[in-house]
Amino acid sequence: MSRFRSYLYSAVRIIESYKGETPLAVFLKNYFSENKKYGARDRRQIAALCYYYFRIGKAAESLSVSDKIILGTFLCENEPSEFLETVKPEWNDQIENVLKKKLALVKTAFSIDTIFLFKKELSAGINMDAFSTSFLIQPDLFIRIRPKVRLGVLSKLEKSKLPYRLLDDDCVALPNSTKIEDYFTLDKEVVIQDLNSQRVLNFFKPQHATHKTPAIPAWDCCAASGGKSILLYDIFNQRIDLTISDIRPSIILNLHHRFAKAGIKSYKYFIGDLASPKFTETLPVDQQDNLKPAIVICDVPCTGSGTWSRTPEQLVFFTKEKISAYSLKQKQIVTNVIPYLQKDSALVYITCSVFKEENEEVVAFIKDKFQLELVQQELLQGYAHKADTMFVAIFRKR
């Protein structure tokens, strides 16, 4: 058996054993740890084949697993390869064609319209053709340049010879495989953060805070990796009185380390389950009277459907019922958060979802139940930029 057919056989075996309980990246890492016969080159090729299979979702279900892998490879790659020359040489000859021509070649077995099956659940403003096509394209890696180091970072980029695109003043797009830590000090010089994740707080950018500006109390209530906290800290020129919370103690521990690297030295934190109807009863005593934010960042847990070009296995294993489950959780979270808003405070509701039940319907819930003023609502389309799609709504309490 040739090396490339062995790759195909290994990818089929992995796909048939994978049931979607863990992210594909984690499953592959564990699989290769248990099967040490594969070298680095072998692992990269086999992992790529697995991702190509999932990138076409549930389309072409009449094909075998191996044929779907080959089809995915043809649609996702743009340069001739020894693998495709071995398993499907006639497609290898056509690999450099534009996607439209490639789709015409495989139209009897595959339709791009069948990659994503949840069209009726989508938020308004999604271009279905562009969105479906995005699943066949590896997203870029995005970094945000921290304040006061822009020229130094750009100089390092030029010297690195990395292929990059400068988007906005401080956003850089790079190939997904770039090892940023080889070139920059993470969180001190640059933050790894998706293009649209960098844009969700643009509403606040005209503030121009100085060192004399009173610190603005802000609460990042579902802090997770802390990227939005660091972004807000930079937008307000460090003039924020920050509180972070999350349900997971491990997240808070990780944030301590990350904030230290980012130069954020003064902040408050607590562990709390905002999705619990009894959240207020479990809120630490020292927070009950002191939690009076002028800004609340509410980046809620969601389906992550706007990021599925990075995790295409979701196209196969996701079920529609999960949308409503997340929407209920989101409504409970905002129900627990909103009572802490002060007069003229801002609530920033964020998801990385493309589903209206998590986006527009939660916005309607907030407006109807709490009578907050909707200042801005935006679907940040990522598929045109090899980025994630996100949703943001800004409310004011009057």
Side-chain angles (χ1 to χ4, degrees), residues 28 33 55 64 78 99 119 124 217 227 267 269 271 283 377 381:
L28 288 169
S33 294
R55 284 194 177 282
S64 66
N78 299 303
L99 182 59
K119 298 177 180 63
Y267 58 94
Y269 63 91
I271 297 165
L283 185 67
Q377 174 180 309
Q381 300 166 355

Side-chain angles (χ1 to χ4, degrees), residues 145-189:
I145 305 173
R146 299 289 309 279
K148 302 177 183 179
V149 296
R150 183 174 185 274
L151 293 179
V153 169
L154 292 178
S155 177
K156 285 186 177 183
L157 275 171
E158 286 298 317
K159 292 177 182 178
S160 73
K161 305 300 182 183
L162 288 169
Y164 74 91
R165 293 180 292 134
L166 184 62
L167 308 171
D168 301 335
D169 288 335
D170 52 7
C171 180
V172 181
L174 292 153
N176 193 266
S177 58
T178 306
K179 294 183 178 180
I180 299 299
E181 61 275 15
D182 290 348
Y183 303 93
F184 306 103
T185 304
L186 289 180
D187 297 324
K188 183 177 181 180
E189 291 182 300

Side-chain angles (χ1 to χ4, degrees), residues 370-390:
F370 299 100
Q371 286 78 54
L372 298 188
E373 176 190 358
L374 178 61
V375 179
Q376 178 179 309
Q377 174 180 309
E378 188 173 5
L379 182 73
L380 298 166
Q381 300 166 355
Y383 41 81
H385 307 284
K386 300 175 73 174
D388 299 338
T389 292
M390 300 189 69

Side-chain angles (χ1 to χ4, degrees), residues 198-237:
Q198 297 182 35
R199 292 174 170 175
V200 292
L201 301 182
N202 278 359
F203 176 82
F204 299 104
K205 279 192 173 181
Q207 299 293 331
H208 300 302
T210 70
H211 69 282
K212 294 183 179 180
T213 304
I216 298 170
W219 178 21
D220 189 351
C221 66
C222 302
S225 65
K228 308 297 190 310
S229 287
I230 300 174
L231 177 59
L232 193 70
Y233 180 81
D234 289 345
I235 287 174
F236 281 93
N237 196 26

Side-chain angles (χ1 to χ4, degrees), residues 66-121:
S66 60
D67 284 343
K68 281 187 71 171
I69 292 172
I70 296 168
L71 173 62
T73 303
F74 175 60
L75 293 174
C76 295
E77 290 194 352
N78 299 303
E79 296 180 0
S81 66
E82 291 182 81
F83 170 77
L84 209 54
E85 182 63 30
T86 300
V87 300
K88 198 80 170 179
E90 62 271 30
W91 281 358
N92 201 43
D93 293 338
Q94 303 289 331
I95 195 70
E96 295 178 302
N97 281 337
V98 296
L99 182 59
K100 185 176 181 180
K101 288 186 176 181
K102 291 161 77 171
L103 290 172
L105 286 171
V106 300
K107 63 182 180 180
T108 57
F110 171 82
S111 170
I112 200 166
D113 295 335
T114 55
I115 290 180
F116 185 86
L117 299 181
F118 308 99
K119 298 177 180 63
K120 292 182 179 179
E121 287 71 35

Side-chain angles (χ1 to χ4, degrees), residues 3-30:
R3 179 170 83 247
F4 300 105
R5 291 201 176 275
S6 177
Y7 289 161
L8 181 60
Y9 173 77
S10 295
V12 169
R13 188 166 55 185
I14 290 170
I15 289 165
E16 290 180 340
S17 63
Y18 177 60
K19 305 304 177 186
E21 289 101 347
T22 60
L24 180 59
V26 174
F27 185 86
L28 288 169
K29 182 179 180 180
N30 293 338

